[in-house]
Amino acid sequence: MQKLKAANLYQSELLPVSGKLVERYNQCLKTLGFSPTKLTSFSIDGIGWSPEIAEEKKELLYLNHGEANAHAIIISPLQKGKPVYLPTHTFDRELMKLVFKTYGNKINDITRDSAICLDFDQGIDAFYGPMDVLKYITINIHFRLINNLNKAQKKQHELIEQFKEGNNFIDETLHEKLLQSANTYGDLRNRDLELPELQYSVSSFYTRAFGGVYVLRDFISDIIVFEDEKWYKEAINDTTHDVLMYHINHDELIEKLRNHLIAECDLDEVIKTPRYDRVKKYELSQQLKETQHSLKEIFESKILYKSYLNKIDINALKKINSVELYLERLEVSNEYKLKDMVDVDLYHALHQPHSSLEPMHQDLIWKLLINVSPKDVLFLYWYDKEQFYKTYETWDDSFKDWVIDTIRNNI
């Protein structure tokens, strides 16, 4: 990962945490029922997740109580707008946007000397089966301050009111209580520490639960797509829900997405795009094992690219150029069938979200499509960084160099 880090493409927007903030973070962990970290410095993302703490605890989702109960920690207003690197759900980023949009000024004030624990409550205590993901309707966001600062404020107000009554201003015991509260918490009289719960309505989304599940609503029919075959097989035995179910590797999934106006693919248009060029180069990289030139050099030189393209096996060449071959022959006769000429994985890789979809749904469908056929390295980086990082480790060093340049040139 050193090359990615050097290029600022690996968790480059994390917020460093040290000193007093570590203590507050640990108080949040304990408030949420987790064990504190022993680290004296680490970094966090927009939701308060830390890669260093995840490594320490050997638990990626250490801010979750099971798959059904996700949490967040805010210790700094600088978390506003930061990426969420390991979201439990695709809507987690939207939840944090809602929190900072609604309570941005309060967060600035509260995090001066406190921190905020967030509970994302969808009304499910625990998952019992994969179809439980359909219960996601509304997310209630609950807030808790460490040290019960809001309760301390209420108590301070009560002491002040008591001080004003009768001759209580000469009560030394009351004086002591007021001084103790002020020394411990500061002057809380004019601070707004109330954070009423927020609600977020869930539409289509992806969740890590049950090995990864896409729930597609708001379309002709509800569709559930499973990444884990074990949970897919269990789900299809549940006949109590009127939904279409697929495993992500089912060929008929893409056809269903097209029929439901969720995805589309216009080959005449897509071959003109840089995405098509990236997909072809990825395909060629899978065929080239030992070369005199680096893959980066080959892909950046038209002459070298054509040279190596003509050195590979004829069947592999036909696969890489199957779209062009199909379109050329289609100009001559309509008798040629796409399914007979175009490689299915390549065809799936060239799909995109339907143009009628809202931006939020487009991002979700891009994530789904890029995982159906992960051949575009740029879009894999954009829409599924975790999978990108895993796959990146398996690539040839020279291919990594080309991938890094490709991403940097498209930022």
Side-chain angles (χ1 to χ4, degrees), residues 177-307:
K177 290 181 179 179
L178 280 167
L179 286 172
Q180 185 178 358
S181 177
N183 288 332
T184 304
Y185 303 106
D187 185 353
L188 302 177
R189 287 176 298 175
N190 298 315
R191 295 180 66 179
D192 187 352
L193 304 177
E194 293 300 317
L195 298 171
E197 73 173 43
L198 298 175
Q199 286 192 337
Y200 177 86
S201 297
V202 178
S203 56
S204 299
F205 66 97
Y206 170 84
T207 174
R208 290 176 177 274
F210 302 103
V213 183
Y214 294 84
V215 179
L216 307 183
R217 294 170 173 152
D218 311 315
F219 302 106
I220 296 173
S221 301
D222 289 347
I223 301 174
I224 303 181
V225 182
F226 291 87
E227 291 184 329
D228 190 303
E229 190 171 8
K230 181 190 79 170
W231 290 115
Y232 165 73
K233 289 180 178 178
E234 179 172 326
I236 58 176
N237 293 322
D238 186 337
T239 59
T240 60
H241 299 278
D242 184 21
V243 295
L244 300 174
M245 285 182 275
Y246 297 92
H247 183 261
I248 196 167
N249 291 335
H250 288 169
D251 288 341
E252 59 267 31
L253 169 62
I254 293 295
E255 181 181 358
K256 184 60 65 175
L257 294 179
R258 288 199 307 272
N259 292 341
H260 280 59
L261 303 182
I262 298 173
E264 60 186 356
C265 181
D266 184 339
L267 292 179
D268 286 308
E269 292 300 319
V270 78
I271 62 170
K272 304 172 186 176
T273 65
R275 184 161 66 95
Y276 178 66
D277 184 56
R278 291 192 300 269
V279 170
K280 283 187 64 176
K281 287 175 177 176
Y282 173 84
E283 288 287 272
L284 180 57
S285 75
Q286 302 304 294
Q287 302 296 327
L288 301 177
K289 302 305 178 186
E290 295 183 6
T291 59
Q292 291 181 319
H293 305 82
S294 71
L295 290 177
K296 184 174 182 294
E297 290 177 299
I298 294 170
F299 293 158
E300 291 180 351
S301 167
K302 289 184 178 180
I303 294 175
L304 287 177
Y305 178 78
K306 290 181 180 179
S307 172

Side-chain angles (χ1 to χ4, degrees), residues 67-239:
E67 294 183 323
N69 300 285
H71 302 87
I73 292 174
I74 299 177
I75 59 173
S76 168
L78 296 179
Q79 288 175 242
K80 179 181 180 180
K82 290 290 185 181
V84 178
Y85 283 107
L86 202 72
T88 301
H89 318 94
T90 46
F91 53 73
D92 286 355
R93 298 178 182 89
E94 298 303 316
L95 296 180
M96 296 309 294
K97 286 181 183 178
L98 175 62
V99 167
F100 277 98
K101 180 180 179 180
T102 307
Y103 294 134
N105 291 335
K106 292 186 179 184
I107 291 171
N108 289 345
D109 180 25
I110 291 170
T111 53
R112 286 188 295 134
D113 52 12
S114 185
I116 307 168
C117 307
L118 289 74
D119 173 27
F120 300 140
D121 179 17
Q122 79 284 55
I124 306 172
D125 293 332
F127 286 134
Y128 298 101
M131 302 308 288
D132 284 349
V133 296
L134 293 176
K135 296 179 181 178
Y136 279 76
I137 303 297
T138 301
I139 306 295
N140 294 297
I141 309 174
H142 304 287
F143 303 89
R144 281 183 280 177
L145 307 188
I146 59 171
N147 297 329
N148 292 315
L149 195 61
N150 50 342
K151 293 181 180 179
Q153 181 188 50
K154 182 179 179 181
K155 181 64 177 177
Q156 197 173 95
H157 283 160
E158 292 173 353
L159 290 172
I160 292 170
E161 291 305 311
Q162 187 179 348
F163 178 82
K164 293 177 181 179
E165 294 177 359
N167 295 321
N168 285 343
F169 63 91
I170 60 174
D171 187 335
E172 293 184 359
T173 302
L174 185 56
H175 288 182
E176 183 63 30
K177 290 181 179 179
L178 280 167
L179 286 172
Q180 185 178 358
S181 177
N183 288 332
T184 304
Y185 303 106
D187 185 353
L188 302 177
R189 287 176 298 175
N190 298 315
R191 295 180 66 179
D192 187 352
L193 304 177
E194 293 300 317
L195 298 171
E197 73 173 43
L198 298 175
Q199 286 192 337
Y200 177 86
S201 297
V202 178
S203 56
S204 299
F205 66 97
Y206 170 84
T207 174
R208 290 176 177 274
F210 302 103
V213 183
Y214 294 84
V215 179
L216 307 183
R217 294 170 173 152
D218 311 315
F219 302 106
I220 296 173
S221 301
D222 289 347
I223 301 174
I224 303 181
V225 182
F226 291 87
E227 291 184 329
D228 190 303
E229 190 171 8
K230 181 190 79 170
W231 290 115
Y232 165 73
K233 289 180 178 178
E234 179 172 326
I236 58 176
N237 293 322
D238 186 337
T239 59

Side-chain angles (χ1 to χ4, degrees), residues 17-24 40-41:
V17 177
S18 59
K20 194 71 175 178
L21 290 181
V22 174
E23 180 183 332
R24 293 178 193 169
T40 57
S41 64

